[in-house]
Amino acid sequence: MVKLLLFFALLHIASSEYIRVCYVTNWAQNRQGVGHYNISTDYEDKLCTHIIYAFANVTSDGSILPYEKTDIPIGYKAVNAFKKRDPNLKTLLAVGGWIHGSVGFTDIVKTPEGRWNFITKAISYLKKHDFNGLDLDWEYPAQRGSPPGDRHLFTLLCEELKREFSKHNLLVTAAVAAGVPSATISYEIYEISKHLDFINLMSYDLHGSWESSTGHHTDANEARPIYEHSVYISVDYWLSSGMDPSKLILGLAAHGRGWLLRDGCREWNLGTRGRGGSTRGNSTRARGILAYYEICDIQFQNRICTSSSSVNAPYGSNGQDFIGYDDEESIAYKVKNIMKKKNLGGFMFWTIDLDDFSNHCGTGKFPLIKAATAAVDQDIQPRACQNITHTGECPPPPTLPPNKCRVNPIGPWKGRIEEDEWCKDPDNCPNSPYCVHYKGCTSCVCECDDDVTGTAPPTISTVFTKASTTLPTKSSTTCSTTSSTTFSTKPSTTLSTKYSTTLSTKSSTTLSTLSKISTTSTESPVLPGACTVPTDQRLRRSCYINPQGLWKGDAIDLWCKANCRFVKTCATNMCCCDSGN
């Protein structure tokens, strides 16, 4: 017993040299079953050195507002209460996120007065709610509707935040893109490195079901060419661009990403052609992404483990889905061979509520986070998985639908990854009225790759008329949640992951486009289930997702709650707003 206590004491000394960041999300409390995360009770003391609460909303006037009604009375108080038991713990509030995009940020950085206004309000908000700092999660400067000049303005924001925050003993950090193309566009890396206390590198979601072929989203192949994606390439790019390694925090994932396969028994390896996101998990309920506590329940027919894998992480197939993920062994590999060898400042997990926080898998609570901590000591060997090879007969290949849907390549949705994902989801297309069998269609969301042709593309009014004859419409100041609908909903993938390719929300650009389309038709078409509400912004007190329409789902609900009151491009046919009663 004495030796065991001495061992853990030495382990704590070794790991204490590194920052251990844990994000916790304010929507994990809404998951069902084993995924329901209680912020107050499911955390384990001294697991992390920094807890970052995600997310809060930034408005155009520089104010910070909570996303959920429970944030202030429950969430904020819960994470900050941990500091009473662990005085060394620091808590930060993350502002922004993928759903939030650049809304608010682009307005506050335009002028010195706007930045100062945001900074002073942020200091007041953080102190009021007992946070130790702010985590900037602007995804991403100079992208997604953010003008090119925001790259430099983001640097100025970081510099000015740090100068004022230091006076109040507050931390300022940022979560940043790992992909080289995105990082090149968004950041002046050397400059922001000087001004931020540390930077959380989102070195995951490097691949996902928005791509046509399978890949590993935390690929750790050291030999990848520079034009491909891997954690090594991302880290090396940031370091070679002037990033202080002691401030760079390696992002680790407690979630996996997957594809639905065409013949998962025979063709399941890396590079296999997929057909949309993998089957939804029982708790996360989103195609293409699974929590670790869901992955451990998968009955793999084929699996390659870390020690045998070219990407130094496990992946496999259950006969239907391809899943790439991290386990204790691959997490330890990344910590030992990337974080430690490159002298990085520590590791970060997205997210604590996607790890096995309840010991559902039977290997202890928080196995991934604890594996990362243990890997700081080179003598610790994590539990290894076993390769699996399918030995039985494979069933006949499945008969696939004749129509393969994809995003309209020339219309208003061109280049929007989340639309492409929605179109490829077999639950939504080709049966959806938004998948139209015309080449060159400019007014529909999805186009089908088949041989069906028409004499002319349909008009805007034709597309919406077709939709409205399939699905019920509603014009009132409220939405009925009990009305039936045959339309499949968009998967709320963004609720479970952080990176820009999480695929389940509309940005203000799309909202603006939709609003424009819905008001230019001579027949004044409306989207299925749309609500008609007062246009007076003063009456848009509380917004929620149209429960019958195209955008039904938790992720869009969050967007509406955060933005509908403040953004004029919030189309009434997407978000239903009450009258303030």
Side-chain angles (χ1 to χ4, degrees), residues 12-223:
H12 176 69
I13 292 172
S15 61
S16 65
E17 298 175 5
Y18 294 92
I19 291 174
R20 306 188 305 278
V21 179
C22 299
Y23 279 87
V24 61
T25 58
N26 55 7
W27 58 84
Q29 61 185 323
N30 300 324
R31 295 192 183 113
Q32 301 300 309
V34 67
H36 174 74
Y37 186 82
N38 187 313
I39 296 177
S40 299
T41 60
D42 285 328
Y43 177 69
E44 190 172 297
D45 288 348
K46 299 186 178 180
L47 190 67
C48 316
T49 61
H50 297 72
I51 295 179
I52 301 182
Y53 188 91
F55 289 108
N57 178 52
V58 175
T59 67
S60 298
D61 67 356
S63 298
I64 296 178
L65 295 176
Y67 265 114
E68 295 280 350
K69 294 179 180 179
T70 58
D71 282 343
I72 293 177
I74 298 177
Y76 293 178
K77 289 184 178 180
V79 296
N80 286 307
F82 301 145
K83 292 186 288 189
K84 296 178 181 178
R85 303 193 298 266
D86 181 6
N88 294 320
L89 177 69
K90 304 297 182 184
T91 61
L92 294 90
L93 180 65
V95 291
W98 170 252
I99 296 174
H100 192 286
S102 292
V103 174
F105 288 109
T106 56
D107 294 315
I108 63 175
V109 298
K110 286 180 181 178
T111 64
E113 294 78 15
R115 297 191 297 274
W116 173 255
N117 186 45
F118 169 68
I119 291 168
T120 55
K121 287 183 177 181
I123 291 172
S124 176
Y125 193 85
L126 295 172
K127 284 188 169 183
K128 179 179 179 180
H129 299 294
D130 197 29
F131 284 100
N132 299 109
L134 188 75
D135 182 58
L136 291 172
D137 209 312
W138 179 357
E139 300 183 10
Y140 297 98
Q143 299 185 65
R144 301 183 66 211
S146 170
D150 280 358
R151 180 175 185 262
H152 178 63
L153 293 177
F154 179 72
T155 302
L156 294 182
L157 177 63
C158 293
E159 180 181 3
E160 293 165 12
L161 273 167
K162 179 58 181 175
R163 183 169 59 242
E164 296 304 317
F165 273 37
S166 296
K167 299 175 183 178
H168 300 271
N169 198 30
L170 292 172
L171 299 171
V172 56
T173 65
V176 298
V180 173
S182 187
T184 303
I185 294 171
S186 291
Y187 314 111
E188 296 173 336
I189 292 176
Y190 173 69
E191 294 299 325
I192 65 173
S193 172
K194 293 189 298 184
H195 305 308
L196 295 170
D197 287 292
F198 58 82
I199 291 176
N200 298 304
L201 183 67
M202 295 186 285
S203 43
Y204 41 77
D205 294 340
L206 300 177
H207 295 285
S209 56
W210 52 90
E211 299 170 318
S212 60
S213 299
T214 61
H216 203 291
H217 82 114
T218 66
D219 186 324
N221 185 328
E222 191 173 6

Side-chain angles (χ1 to χ4, degrees), residues 73 110 139 156 224 272 315 351 357 370 466 514 518 533:
K110 286 180 181 178
E139 300 183 10
L156 294 182
R224 291 270 185 237
T272 300
Y315 62 89
T351 63
F357 58 86
K370 289 181 178 177
K466 178 179 179 181
L514 291 169
S518 64
V533 299

Side-chain angles (χ1 to χ4, degrees), residues 387-409:
N387 292 338
I388 299 174
T389 301
H390 181 64
T391 57
E393 293 185 4
C394 289
T399 302
L400 301 177
N403 299 323
K404 313 299 184 298
C405 295
R406 58 188 173 89
V407 71
N408 177 1

Side-chain angles (χ1 to χ4, degrees), residues 200-204 231 249-253 334 346-349:
N200 298 304
L201 183 67
M202 295 186 285
S203 43
Y204 41 77
V231 180
I249 309 302
L250 180 68
L252 302 172
K334 290 180 173 69
F347 60 79
M348 168 271 282
F349 265 91

